[in-house]
Amino acid sequence: MVHGLIVRISGDSMSPTYREGDVVEVDVEAYLQQLPEVGYVVLATHPFKGGVHIVKRVKHITDE
């Protein structure tokens, strides 16, 4: 069962995968059992702008 959240892409940082105005459905429970891997696209909270969400591709994973 998908627990989806509808997100509209803003900006061009994910181009050409996603373009300004694209609408995507995000499974908000996708990583409860297993963490994302390099190359996966994730929805995350912006590290400097509280409450702002961003869609990004995982490039690197650290053990912090």
Side-chain angles (χ1 to χ4, degrees):
M1 179 174 173
V2 174
H3 297 87
L5 175 68
I6 303 299
V7 176
R8 183 176 305 275
I9 302 299
S10 176
D12 62 358
S13 68
M14 285 297 296
S15 182
T17 304
Y18 299 113
R19 299 180 190 277
E20 174 88 30
D22 283 353
V23 175
V24 296
E25 182 175 11
V26 178
D27 180 353
V28 296
E29 295 187 359
Y31 301 119
L32 293 179
Q33 301 295 322
Q34 179 180 357
L35 294 177
E37 298 177 16
V38 171
Y40 285 20
V41 175
V42 299
L43 177 72
T45 302
H46 193 287
F48 309 115
K49 300 177 184 176
V52 174
H53 292 92
I54 54 178
V55 175
K56 295 294 179 187
R57 186 174 311 279
V58 177
K59 288 181 67 177
H60 181 76
I61 298 174
T62 62
D63 291 332
E64 292 181 35

